[in-house]
Amino acid sequence: MEKKNEIIQKNTEVVTNCDHLTSTHVQSCILTIRGLQVVIDRDLAAFYGVETKRLNEAVKRNIMRFPERYRFQLSKEELLEVVANCDHLQQLKFSPTPHYVFTEEGVAQLSSVLRSEKAVKVSIMIMDAFVAMRRFLSANSGMFQRIEVLEKRQIATDQKIEEVLDCLEQGTLKDKAHIFSAGQIYDAKAFITNLVSQAKSRVILIDGYVNATTISLLEARIEGIPAKIYTGTVGASLNTLVSQFNGQYPQKPLSIHRWRTEQHDRWLVIDNQLWHCGASIKDAGLRTFGIDPIGLDVDIILSQV
């Protein structure tokens, strides 16, 4: 509401005035409440040069002229929102009396109730301001829709940042699932090597299909961190690859073992964090590939291999 009113004030000039009352000032007091363009009784009374109490008393004496679609009472929450967005209404925050807002039709009725030449002139000015604002909103509806979308995105982004900050403060930040589309081979493999490089104590891979690509992905470990591979078949070629790797990288020990129980899924253990892999890591990114952390004790899986 505040941003939109600010834009409107700068772009809907109507050259009319009455006793130093300008259209710009009137427009700045038009609010959007319950989806309607309205003016609060406090501002209307100031425009007409009467007390707010007297204005509402005049309305009560002619209440039949003011159905709820012309004039309605603000709830406590609505009044607080108005006060928060309108600096000149700060004094209403603790007002013990109810406050009302008037639509364009309600303003038109006020001229007949207050019965003065000034009231007629002021009512016309206010209605002109309503019309100018309506035209401006209609002409710029696309811009306001974009602003609203950007504001919603900003709110969502702020909420996510708050959640992350809360998790960091509480030490509860968790890794999230990652999905890589077919063809994102570099991204998928870079993600895996980054995981491996973060290991502080161990890396264990349970994968039924292992080749030189698999072993190269595990090379990302820092020195002194051991790695084990459990797979279905350990042939001469695999043993040769592991021997060659250990010969070149003795500071990054690698061993390969045949599992005792056949495994359907693929698992990657980084220290005590268990990751589930949607495919063999050698094929990461060739097709749609997912890898996500599983909140299980790694021993539940290790005890079965």
Side-chain angles (χ1 to χ4, degrees), residues 38-286:
V38 297
V39 180
I40 194 169
D41 54 8
R42 165 65 176 75
D43 286 334
L44 284 173
F47 297 161
Y48 289 114
V50 300
E51 295 180 0
T52 306
K53 181 179 179 181
R54 300 302 173 215
L55 182 142
N56 283 319
E57 286 177 348
V59 171
K60 287 180 181 178
R61 289 193 296 268
N62 299 271
I63 198 63
M64 295 297 292
R65 293 175 179 266
F66 295 89
E68 182 143 352
R69 65 180 183 275
Y70 287 6
R71 166 188 179 265
F72 57 86
Q73 183 179 339
L74 292 178
S75 67
K76 182 178 179 180
E77 292 74 17
E78 288 170 335
L79 181 60
L80 290 176
E81 182 181 357
V82 168
V83 169
N85 288 287
C86 303
D87 292 339
H88 71 288
L89 296 175
Q90 292 297 313
Q91 68 272 25
L92 300 184
K93 186 174 183 179
F94 302 105
S95 175
T97 59
H99 284 273
Y100 296 84
V101 292
F102 292 75
T103 64
E104 182 178 344
E105 295 80 5
V107 171
Q109 292 285 31
L110 281 174
S111 61
S112 61
V113 169
L114 297 177
R115 296 191 182 92
S116 71
E117 183 178 344
K118 179 177 181 179
V120 173
K121 290 181 179 180
V122 171
S123 292
I124 291 173
M125 175 181 288
I126 297 172
M127 287 186 288
D128 284 345
F130 271 111
V131 172
M133 180 176 290
R134 195 160 55 245
R135 287 174 178 168
F136 178 74
L137 290 174
S138 176
N140 295 275
S141 60
M143 178 184 68
F144 286 120
Q145 287 176 357
R146 289 192 293 274
I147 291 174
E148 185 176 0
V149 169
L150 290 173
E151 287 180 338
K152 288 180 178 179
R153 287 179 180 173
Q154 184 61 50
I155 290 172
T157 300
D158 290 345
Q159 289 174 340
K160 290 178 180 178
I161 291 174
E162 284 295 327
E163 290 175 2
V164 171
L165 291 176
D166 287 343
C167 288
L168 286 172
E169 185 176 346
Q170 299 169 17
T172 57
L173 186 64
K174 301 295 183 182
D175 291 303
K176 301 299 182 183
H178 292 264
I179 304 296
F180 298 93
S181 300
Q184 287 187 282
I185 299 172
Y186 175 82
D187 291 341
K189 287 183 166 53
F191 181 81
I192 293 170
T193 56
N194 183 59
L195 276 181
V196 171
S197 70
Q198 296 177 39
K200 300 294 191 298
S201 60
R202 62 178 177 175
V203 174
I204 300 173
L205 175 66
I206 302 168
D207 193 330
Y209 300 93
V210 176
N211 63 10
T213 300
T214 309
I215 294 173
S216 67
L217 291 172
L218 299 183
E219 188 273 327
R221 290 168 289 138
I222 61 176
E223 293 185 5
I225 304 302
K228 290 183 179 181
I229 299 175
Y230 290 93
T231 189
T233 302
V234 181
S237 59
L238 268 181
N239 278 321
T240 299
L241 285 173
V242 171
S243 295
Q244 291 173 343
F245 179 90
N246 285 324
Q248 186 171 347
Y249 301 102
Q251 70 278 23
K252 298 181 180 181
L254 174 66
S255 61
I256 191 165
H257 312 270
R258 186 179 185 282
W259 58 41
R260 294 170 299 168
T261 305
E262 184 176 359
Q263 302 292 311
H264 177 272
D265 291 353
R266 293 87 172 175
W267 305 93
L268 179 63
V269 175
I270 305 295
D271 299 331
N272 291 313
Q273 174 72 63
L274 182 64
W275 290 77
H276 180 262
C277 306
S280 296
I281 65 171
K282 69 179 182 63
D283 298 325
L286 291 178

Side-chain angles (χ1 to χ4, degrees), residues 31-38 72 78 103 137:
L31 311 171
T32 301
I33 299 176
R34 303 182 193 178
L36 300 171
Q37 304 297 306
V38 297
F72 57 86
E78 288 170 335
T103 64
L137 290 174

